[in-house]
């Protein structure tokens, strides 16, 4: 068998994570591939550990022939996944396995599709626990926009993989039902067990006495804690209680409160002893369940292919499990009637009652541990990267028209132009449109540019009146000749390979529109001299249309597109408001154009601290967000548009109250100014707080006038009167000091 270099990319791995099904699955893969002679790297991009430091686990696995590489990254999952791609792109692997959960493979699929790397690497996505599937079966509502991002990145991880594997037929059918597009090569491979389990389950089918019922799973609703407790209470009421009950698993939340507090109430009528054991790892849990007289009870609302069942079957531990999800696929068909129960309290109580009365024999697996391992090794041995579609051959490099608007910023414009002159792509024209600048220095700079532009065949145009970006960009496109268009602001700075990277990605992927990551920097000075390792402040992820209804996570106005995409969409709209880029990208995505966001920093984005505060008036921001929402409203049936508006505007109203996003970009408030916001706007307290803030700033006369108004709003109020008098006194003192 050919020796392969295999990378397992995961947020969950046994060691830093004490126990968990996905971490167990990836550990089993690592051990099986290593034992088969492959070179195995486990890439763990997070900084999280719930046990020992990550340095310990690196040494622990190195001693066992597995290269465990922690990247120690924090932040959102998309940032950690980006860091994983940056680490991977300078190395070669024959295959990379990753899970769909939390979108860890998203940037790998984009990079491969757009020709940034991985051409000879097979991307294998293992589907274990999609976010929205987990929420739906946990009774959990979506609370944060990031959860919609995760859902989209998970879909991207699956849809862009070369091969998709799930441990159950149920899960493949479920993601298809959720609208995920599976690649042509997909199938089922049963979860393997890590070392420490026997290859074959014990053959003894003799019923064993049962005295203790063991709830096996996290103490939470999704694992069926409420169902189990209600079923046990039925046994209590029927006069056939167990000798003891044990809850074996991590403690979580139940009905919005601590699970232990919930248990105190749920078990109030029990007359037998019960305990909670929450400190066992996989081996420790197996040891406990193997004790005499114990029956493992799984009560989950829904499961894919739970290790709780697999481990019990392999270790010969008697169990009961609900006939939901992929659980029936794990048991031998002849054991279904004996070990599976319809998921309701009456059926579970009856099944546990029979076990207490008659004993219970262990179950038999549908696929042995040895059989699962052989299936995985056969799959891996035959795995090869599918041939990539060749990039379109060109006799000459395509012409790219860089369309740039300018207004009264000649210093930053000079850097922007210089960055275009330094591009590595050989076929570029720059169309610069001045949006009726009024600065004499800027006008002089533009006049001086004309010979330089003429020598290159570039164009320098001017709007008759200030018209904003929509009109300005149309003016530039109308004068351009390129097959591709790159839009750029006069305060951006392109890294030298930006255009070449966009062209290559477009030709390789066939994408209509491309965006990328940016490197922010502040103020009017020179751009950074070196490239950052990772984006900061804002990381777009691509055409996530559900997210795009609420926020722009697709990319900036510094976007690259085919000319026919511009023509098809009619270009940018011409509103005098923000978010023309957000509106265009959302509309393009909903229209079926292929939009890609590259996992590369290709330009620097300048942030003008406080310079645009005056433009952030409430009506202006409302019009800007209404503009961005237009494509989504147009794609929504008219009867549902008010509901969509309500959802989006409620989200924005919350941001406004919390001073997030654009509402947090105002001038920084001092401590005194922040105090004003704590009071009702039309009351004396707010007016008095304003007076005192103004006084601190040295405006004694204004402070006194505001204090007088506060007294009129609360006549006779002793505290208001006292503080107003102090401000009046300060005014008098200032006036006397200032007199000659």
């Amino acid at each position: 068998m050919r020796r392969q270099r295999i990378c397992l990319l995961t947020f969950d791995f046994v060691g830093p994570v004490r126990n968990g099904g996905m971490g167990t699955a990836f550990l089993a893969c690592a051990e099986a591939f290593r034992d088969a002679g492959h070179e195995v790297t486990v890439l763990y991009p997070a900084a999280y550990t719930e046990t020992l430091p990550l340095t310990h686990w690196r040494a622990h696995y190195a001693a066992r022939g597995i290269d465990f590489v922690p990247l120690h990254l924090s932040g959102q999952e998309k940032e950690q996944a980006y860091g994983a791609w940056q680490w991977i792109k300078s190395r070669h692997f024959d295959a990379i396995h990753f899970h769909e959960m939390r979108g860890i493979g998203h940037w790998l699929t984009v990079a491969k599709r757009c020709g940034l790397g991985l051409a000879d690497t097979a991307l294998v996505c293992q589907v274990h626990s999609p976010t929205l599937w987990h929420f739906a079966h946990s009774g959990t509502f979506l609370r944060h926009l990031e959860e919609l991002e995760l859902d989209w990145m998970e879909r991207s991880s699956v849809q862009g993989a070369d091969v998709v594997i799930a441990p159950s037929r149920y899960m493949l059918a479920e993601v298809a039902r959720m609208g995920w597009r599976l690649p042509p090569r997909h199938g089922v491979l049963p979860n393997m067990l890590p070392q420490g389990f026997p290859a074959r389950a014990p053959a003894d089918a003799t019923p064993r006495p049962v005295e203790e019922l063991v709830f096996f799973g996290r103490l939470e609703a999704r694992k069926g804690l409420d169902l189990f407790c209600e079923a046990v209470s039925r046994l209590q009421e029927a006069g056939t209680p167990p000798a003891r009950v044990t809850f074996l698993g991590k403690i979580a939340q139940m009905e919005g409160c601590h699970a232990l507090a919930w248990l105190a109430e749920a078990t109030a009528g029990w007359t037998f002893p019960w305990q909670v054991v929450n400190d066992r790892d996989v081996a420790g849990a197996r040891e406990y369940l193997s004790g005499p007289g114990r029956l493992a009870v799984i009560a989950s609302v829904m499961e894919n292919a739970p290790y709780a069942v697999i481990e019990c079957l392999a270790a010969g531990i008697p169990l009961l499990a609900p006939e939901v999800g992929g659980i029936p696929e794990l048991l031998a068909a002849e054991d279904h009637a004996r070990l599976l129960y319809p998921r309701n309290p009456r059926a579970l109580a009856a099944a546990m009652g029979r076990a207490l009365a008659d004993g219970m024999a262990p179950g038999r697996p549908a696929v042995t541990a040895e059989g699962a391992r052989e299936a995985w090794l056969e799959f891996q041995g035959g795995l090869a990267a599918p041939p990539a579609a060749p990039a379109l051959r060109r006799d000459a490099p395509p012409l790219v028209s860089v369309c740039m608007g300018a207004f009264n910023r000649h210093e930053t414009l000079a850097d922007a132009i210089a960055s275009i002159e330094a591009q590595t792509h050989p076929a570029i024209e720059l169309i610069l449109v001045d949006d009726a600048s009024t600065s004499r220095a800027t006008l002089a700079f533009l006049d001086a540019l004309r010979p330089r532009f003429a020598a290159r065949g570039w164009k320098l145009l001017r709007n008759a009146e200030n018209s904003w970006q929509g009109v300005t960009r149309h003016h530039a496109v109308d004068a351009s000749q390129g097959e591709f268009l790159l839009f750029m602001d006069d305060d951006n700075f392109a890294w030298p390979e930006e255009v070449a990277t966009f062209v290559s990605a477009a030709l390789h992927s066939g994408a209509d529109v491309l965006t990328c990551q940016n490197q922010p920097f502040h103020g009017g000075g020179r751009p950074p001299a070196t490239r950052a390792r990772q984006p900061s402040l804002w990381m777009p992820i691509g055409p996530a249309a559900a997210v795009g209804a609420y926020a722009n996570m697709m990319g900036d106005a510094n976007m690259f597109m085919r000319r026919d995409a511009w023509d098809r969409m009619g270009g940018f709209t011409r509103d005098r408001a923000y978010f023309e880029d957000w509106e265009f990208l959302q509309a393009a995505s909903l229209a079926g154009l292929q939009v890609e966001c590259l996992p590369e920093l290709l330009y620097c984005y300048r942030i003008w601290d406080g310079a645009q505060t005056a433009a952030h008036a409430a009506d202006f921001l409302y019009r800007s967000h209404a503009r961005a929402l237009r494509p989504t409203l147009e794609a929504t049936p008219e009867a549902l548009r008010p509901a969509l508006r309500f959802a989006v505007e409620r989200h924005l109203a919350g941001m406004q109250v919390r001073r997030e996003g654009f509402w947090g970009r105002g001038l920084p408030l001092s401590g005194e100014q922040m105090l004003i916001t704590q009071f009702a706007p039309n009351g004396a307290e707010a007016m008095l707080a304003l007076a005192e803030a103004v006084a601190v700033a040295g405006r004694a006369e204004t402070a006194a006038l505001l204090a007088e108004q506060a007294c009129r709003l609360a006549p006779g109020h002793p505290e208001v009167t006292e503080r107003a008098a102090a401000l009046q006194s300060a005014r008098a003192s200032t006036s006397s000091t200032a007199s000659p």
Side-chain angles (χ1 to χ4, degrees):
M1 180 177 62
R2 179 175 63 92
R3 188 171 192 260
Q4 299 180 39
R5 296 190 66 196
I6 303 172
C7 177
L8 304 176
L9 172 59
T10 177
F11 282 127
D12 190 350
F13 200 69
V14 175
V17 180
R18 183 175 283 111
N19 52 47
M22 193 161 57
T24 302
F26 272 75
L27 173 60
C29 283
E31 292 174 341
F33 297 157
R34 174 205 60 194
D35 293 346
H38 299 303
E39 182 181 338
V40 178
T41 298
V42 175
L43 183 60
Y44 183 75
Y48 174 79
T49 178
E50 58 189 35
T51 57
L52 297 170
L54 295 179
T55 50
H56 165 84
W57 295 113
R58 181 161 176 77
H60 171 86
Y61 282 112
R64 289 155 178 79
I66 295 171
D67 187 16
F68 177 75
V69 180
L71 297 184
H72 304 278
L73 296 174
S74 57
Q76 294 181 312
E77 286 88 344
K78 62 185 178 182
E79 297 167 328
Q80 295 168 307
Y82 180 92
W85 154 243
Q86 294 298 316
W87 186 88
I88 285 171
K89 73 179 184 179
S90 61
R91 295 162 174 84
H92 176 264
F93 293 100
D94 297 292
I96 301 175
H97 291 251
F98 51 88
H99 48 75
E100 96 300 335
M101 194 186 77
R102 296 157 64 186
I104 196 171
H106 164 64
W107 295 122
L108 302 185
T109 64
V110 174
K112 183 167 186 176
R113 188 164 56 245
C114 293
L116 301 179
L118 306 175
D120 301 321
T121 302
L123 299 183
V124 181
C125 183
Q126 301 183 23
V127 184
H128 288 274
S129 182
T131 293
L132 295 193
W133 173 83
H134 174 81
F135 279 17
H137 298 295
S138 302
T140 302
F141 293 110
L142 288 166
R143 294 161 295 175
H144 307 292
L145 198 57
E146 288 80 5
E147 292 159 351
L148 281 183
E149 287 189 44
L150 288 181
D151 170 65
W152 188 82
M153 290 173 64
E154 289 171 356
R155 292 169 184 258
S156 171
S157 296
V158 165
Q159 292 167 182
D162 296 316
V163 186
V164 167
I165 294 298
S168 69
R169 295 185 299 277
Y170 157 77
M171 183 51 73
L172 284 181
E174 188 69 3
V175 295
R177 184 194 64 78
M178 293 165 61
W180 295 22
R181 297 189 308 274
L182 294 169
R185 190 174 179 190
H186 61 269
V188 175
L189 282 175
N191 278 331
M192 291 183 286
L193 282 164
Q195 291 182 349
F197 283 85
R200 295 184 181 276
D204 182 13
T206 305
R208 304 174 188 176
V210 174
E211 298 178 347
E212 179 181 340
L213 302 177
V214 183
F215 175 84
F216 188 24
R218 281 189 305 277
L219 276 61
E220 64 180 13
R222 179 173 172 265
K223 294 299 182 180
L225 182 61
D226 49 352
L227 172 69
F228 175 80
C229 288
E230 184 176 346
V232 171
S233 294
R234 286 176 177 243
L235 294 177
Q236 171 80 44
E237 294 167 2
T240 57
R244 184 165 71 172
V245 163
T246 295
F247 297 93
L248 179 61
K250 293 180 181 179
I251 298 165
Q253 294 281 309
M254 276 297 297
E255 298 177 0
C257 73
H258 196 291
L260 293 183
W262 185 91
L263 273 180
E265 175 64 24
T267 62
W270 294 2
T271 59
F272 48 85
W274 58 273
Q275 65 176 339
V276 176
V277 179
N278 65 325
D279 61 344
R280 300 296 181 101
D281 58 12
V282 173
R286 182 170 73 251
E287 179 185 4
Y288 186 86
L289 289 167
S290 298
R294 290 169 179 158
L295 173 69
V297 180
I298 290 94
S300 305
V301 174
M302 187 57 65
E303 291 284 4
N304 177 5
Y307 268 95
V309 173
I310 297 171
E311 291 164 2
C312 287
L313 293 172
I317 296 168
L319 82 152
L320 289 171
E323 49 185 8
V324 299
I327 289 178
E329 300 176 45
L330 302 177
L331 283 79
E334 56 268 28
D335 281 340
H336 281 198
R338 187 170 61 87
L339 302 183
L340 298 177
Y341 62 89
R343 195 185 179 280
N344 62 71
R346 180 187 57 79
L348 176 55
M352 293 191 299
R354 287 192 298 271
L356 290 168
D358 304 331
M360 177 69 78
R364 287 155 291 187
V367 179
T368 65
E370 183 181 45
R373 177 188 173 91
E374 289 175 354
W376 269 98
L377 292 180
E378 181 181 358
F379 164 77
Q380 186 63 45
L383 187 63
L392 297 177
R393 294 184 176 276
R394 298 296 185 94
D395 294 332
L399 178 64
V400 176
S401 298
V402 179
C403 300
M404 185 184 300
F407 180 74
N408 282 351
R409 294 195 290 215
H410 63 280
E411 297 96 339
T412 63
L413 176 60
D415 288 327
I417 294 172
S419 74
I420 297 303
E421 291 174 327
Q423 290 297 300
T424 59
H425 185 74
I428 290 177
E429 65 168 358
L430 174 58
I431 313 298
L432 176 62
V433 180
D434 175 57
D435 193 18
S437 290
T438 57
S439 162
R440 291 183 179 179
T442 298
L443 294 173
F445 175 81
L446 293 172
D447 286 340
L449 278 180
R450 294 189 182 280
R452 189 164 141 200
F453 270 44
R456 291 177 173 267
W458 293 357
K459 297 183 177 71
L460 178 55
L461 310 173
R462 181 174 172 81
N463 289 339
E465 58 183 9
N466 184 259
S467 305
W468 275 55
Q469 292 286 13
V471 171
T472 298
R473 290 178 178 139
H474 274 274
H475 193 179
V477 172
D478 290 345
S480 69
Q481 299 178 11
E483 177 185 352
F484 293 97
L485 308 171
L486 173 64
F487 295 95
M488 185 171 175
D489 290 340
D490 61 352
D491 56 350
N492 291 161
F493 180 84
W495 291 114
E497 72 282 4
E498 177 179 12
V499 173
T501 302
F502 273 138
V503 169
S504 175
L507 295 180
H508 194 96
S509 66
D512 300 295
V513 183
L514 295 109
T515 64
C516 64
Q517 308 304 315
N518 68 71
Q519 179 174 343
F521 67 108
H522 290 258
R526 297 301 308 278
T530 58
R531 193 174 319 215
R533 291 180 56 195
Q534 198 150 327
S536 63
L537 300 180
W538 177 64
M539 177 182 281
I541 58 172
V547 182
Y550 296 87
N552 179 10
M553 285 298 161
M554 291 172 281
D556 180 49
N558 191 300
M559 67 180 75
F560 183 90
M561 70 183 69
R562 298 175 186 271
R563 177 179 292 275
D564 57 6
W566 170 270
D567 294 338
R568 177 176 170 183
M569 298 304 301
F572 295 106
T573 57
R574 294 169 168 83
D575 306 46
R576 290 183 72 92
Y578 286 157
F579 306 151
E580 73 281 356
D581 49 354
W582 178 2
E583 178 190 26
F584 181 91
L585 290 166
Q586 180 76 341
S589 175
L590 292 172
L593 273 68
Q594 182 180 343
V595 180
E596 300 282 0
C597 178
L598 302 182
E600 297 295 339
L601 289 164
L602 298 182
Y603 71 101
C604 297
Y605 180 87
R606 192 185 303 267
I607 298 173
W608 295 93
D609 297 324
Q612 294 180 322
T613 302
H616 293 166
D619 66 324
F620 186 87
L621 285 176
Y622 183 90
R623 286 188 285 109
S624 297
H625 281 95
R627 176 191 203 177
L629 186 58
R630 279 192 305 223
T632 312
L633 283 174
E634 291 171 0
T636 303
E638 188 170 355
L640 295 178
R641 290 177 188 175
L644 176 64
R645 275 195 57 190
F646 172 76
V648 172
E649 292 185 16
R650 190 170 189 269
H651 166 75
L652 295 172
M655 294 181 65
Q656 188 176 25
V657 169
R658 295 187 300 271
R659 296 183 63 83
E660 296 173 351
F662 278 81
W663 290 275
R665 296 188 183 185
L667 291 172
L669 298 180
S670 67
E672 292 81 6
Q673 292 163 344
M674 283 298 297
L675 286 174
I676 301 170
T677 66
Q678 299 179 11
F679 302 111
N682 291 300
E685 294 90 347
M687 190 67 66
L688 194 56
L690 173 59
E692 290 171 339
V694 168
V696 169
R699 307 287 300 280
E701 182 70 23
T702 298
L705 293 172
L706 293 169
E708 291 172 4
Q709 178 62 19
C711 290
R712 285 191 285 271
L713 293 171
H717 191 290
E719 183 180 348
V720 172
T721 302
E722 180 181 352
R723 289 163 62 187
L727 291 169
Q728 297 285 4
S729 176
R731 174 175 65 171
S733 174
T734 302
S735 298
S736 62
T737 303
S739 300

